[in-house]
Amino acid sequence: MTLEHGNVMTADPEARRRFKRSLLHWYRQNRRDLPWHQDQDPYRIWLSEVMLQQTRVAAVTEYYARFLKKFPSLEKLASAREASVLALWSGLGYYRRARMLHKAARIVVREHAGKFPNTAEYLRHLPGIGRYTAAAIASIAFDEPIAVVDGNVERVLQRLLGQSIDGEELWSSAEALLNRQHPGDHNQAMMELGATVCLPRQPLCLHCPVSAWCLTRGEVQSPGTSIRQMKREVRYALSSRKGSVFLVKRGKKVSLMPGFWELPEVSVATPRAKPWLTLRHSITVTNYTVQVIRRRPSPGADGTWVQSSRLSGLPLTGLARKILNAAGLI
Ligand code: SF4
């Protein structure tokens, strides 16, 4: 294929129209069959956008369905206890997202009579809704002509334009290319293109609907920064008796996951007992080797015996959930 239209930013209006049509047509034919892709309900779109922040699509779909089953509407979410919301979020990570979601649902019900604000500007006043999420909800649910920029869109734009642009320049380039008649589908098309075709390592340019307008066809890679992963070893004690398990609750003031339940941690300096289970767990830049030791709680140890039947309704840390699953307790 030859470069028919050159730089799409400086192309004539008809060439830009063809670019937008081509992208939209491709998206409507090829979008993945994801539960939130055909939805215009602001609550559902908001939930999917929040869940997808920092989490892979494959991990989100199951959580999304379970969450909507329990909280099918904004009102149901607003009237729920925070612990129930966190329990359903347990394992998805970045729990601040769930707290903000819950807080924002309460504000929408209390201050907007349950009606979602319908512009990006107003949406940004809600807790946990930043520039990207506000633009995504406003364009997809309310057809507001406003562009989004996420990591996928950033990569597509940089390759299309052959420049390593960032910040406001990215947002204004996305805005300049926006299909103002179909902003929601256009934004989703740009994100979908980045997620499925214009891949970070090996873009599938032969399948790209806009390759005729692309100045790089993937030849220019944006300089990648490799993040050094750290390694840590941790040990936890698993004590169970008569259908109960011994857990500790994190304090309200700790910075990470306050109020969440977990297994008591055992110092790695204590004499090594044969682990009942060894598993790997990663949190951001740290890879943990986790050893689980079966033993009784020491006399006077902080913690509570919790009935196994209550576990699924408790906000558990992702790691605790993993271990309790492996032990067949949930
Ligand atoms: S032609 Fe290749 S590099 Fe350019 S936007 Fe399409 S997939 Fe990305």
Side-chain angles (χ1 to χ4, degrees):
M1 188 179 280
T2 54
L3 189 67
E4 293 169 46
H5 310 288
N7 186 340
V8 67
M9 293 296 282
T10 52
D12 64 66
E14 183 46 36
R16 274 209 211 185
R17 269 196 289 278
R18 282 202 299 273
F19 166 88
K20 293 175 196 176
R21 268 204 306 269
S22 181
L23 179 66
L24 194 64
H25 179 73
W26 168 84
Y27 174 67
R28 290 179 173 167
Q29 300 289 317
N30 295 283
R31 63 182 149 203
R32 288 168 294 174
D33 186 19
L34 297 173
W36 49 85
H37 261 167
Q38 313 217 0
D39 225 312
Q40 270 205 300
D41 178 289
Y43 170 60
R44 288 165 170 255
I45 290 162
W46 173 44
L47 177 65
S48 69
E49 290 298 339
V50 173
M51 283 191 167
L52 287 165
Q53 290 162 10
Q54 286 133 332
T55 310
R56 288 173 302 107
V57 167
V60 164
T61 44
E62 197 187 314
Y63 279 90
Y64 179 78
R66 269 202 292 144
F67 199 93
L68 282 175
K69 197 165 172 211
K70 175 103 181 184
F71 306 120
S73 64
L74 190 73
E75 289 74 14
K76 287 264 186 236
L77 175 60
S79 62
R81 285 181 311 119
E82 187 183 82
S84 317
V85 178
L86 292 176
L88 270 188
W89 206 272
S90 173
L92 205 52
Y94 299 97
Y95 294 91
R96 189 172 173 275
R97 296 180 298 177
R99 292 184 208 276
M100 293 293 115
L101 189 84
H102 187 221
K103 204 168 164 192
R106 290 190 160 175
I107 292 174
V108 174
V109 166
R110 200 175 57 234
E111 294 174 17
H112 301 270
K115 245 180 116 153
F116 243 86
N118 62 2
T119 65
E121 191 190 335
Y122 281 107
L123 283 162
R124 284 190 73 178
H125 292 295
L126 292 173
I129 298 193
R131 186 174 184 176
Y132 161 79
T133 310
I137 301 171
S139 62
I140 300 168
F142 303 114
D143 285 327
E144 183 180 346
I146 183 166
V148 299
V149 175
D150 69 351
N152 283 321
V153 175
E154 177 176 340
R155 184 171 58 259
V156 171
L157 284 173
Q158 291 186 339
R159 285 176 172 163
L160 272 175
L161 307 178
Q163 291 171 39
S164 186
I165 50 173
D166 57 13
E168 277 312 310
E169 217 182 330
L170 272 172
W171 285 89
S172 57
S173 302
E175 201 65 43
L177 294 180
L178 180 68
N179 184 332
R180 307 187 85 76
Q181 272 75 50
H182 306 281
D185 274 2
H186 172 93
N187 282 332
Q188 292 185 91
M190 287 289 280
M191 294 189 274
E192 191 76 349
L193 187 69
T196 63
V197 175
C198 194
L199 300 168
R201 284 178 201 280
Q202 282 193 313
L204 310 172
C205 303
L206 285 175
H207 302 280
C208 179
V210 292
S211 65
W213 292 270
C214 182
L215 293 181
T216 70
R217 310 254 175 87
E219 282 161 20
V220 175
Q221 301 280 337
S222 49
T225 44
S226 63
I227 298 167
R228 245 181 85 210
Q229 289 293 119
M230 289 186 288
K231 289 184 177 171
R232 256 197 79 196
E233 195 177 303
V234 284
R235 237 183 264 177
Y236 287 91
L238 174 62
S239 322
S240 57
R241 66 164 196 210
K242 295 185 197 148
S244 297
V245 60
F246 194 76
L247 296 178
V248 287
K249 191 176 181 183
R250 290 191 177 198
K252 284 209 165 109
K253 299 229 165 101
V254 301
S255 59
L256 213 60
M257 302 168 76
F260 274 65
W261 292 81
E262 61 185 344
L263 273 66
E265 191 172 349
V266 181
S267 162
V268 282
T270 52
R272 186 177 286 265
K274 193 168 179 325
W276 165 76
L277 172 74
T278 301
L279 52 88
R280 305 211 178 280
H281 189 71
S282 296
I283 300 177
T284 58
V285 295
T286 310
N287 291 328
Y288 291 90
T289 301
V290 183
Q291 293 189 339
V292 183
I293 293 156
R294 278 210 178 251
R295 71 171 203 195
R296 289 187 188 170
S298 14
D302 277 346
T304 313
W305 287 101
V306 179
Q307 281 289 329
S308 307
S309 53
R310 282 187 58 216
L311 291 175
S312 58
L314 279 188
L316 295 166
T317 64
L319 179 56
R321 187 167 290 278
K322 229 183 211 181
I323 298 169
L324 294 169
N325 252 321
L329 290 162
I330 44 176

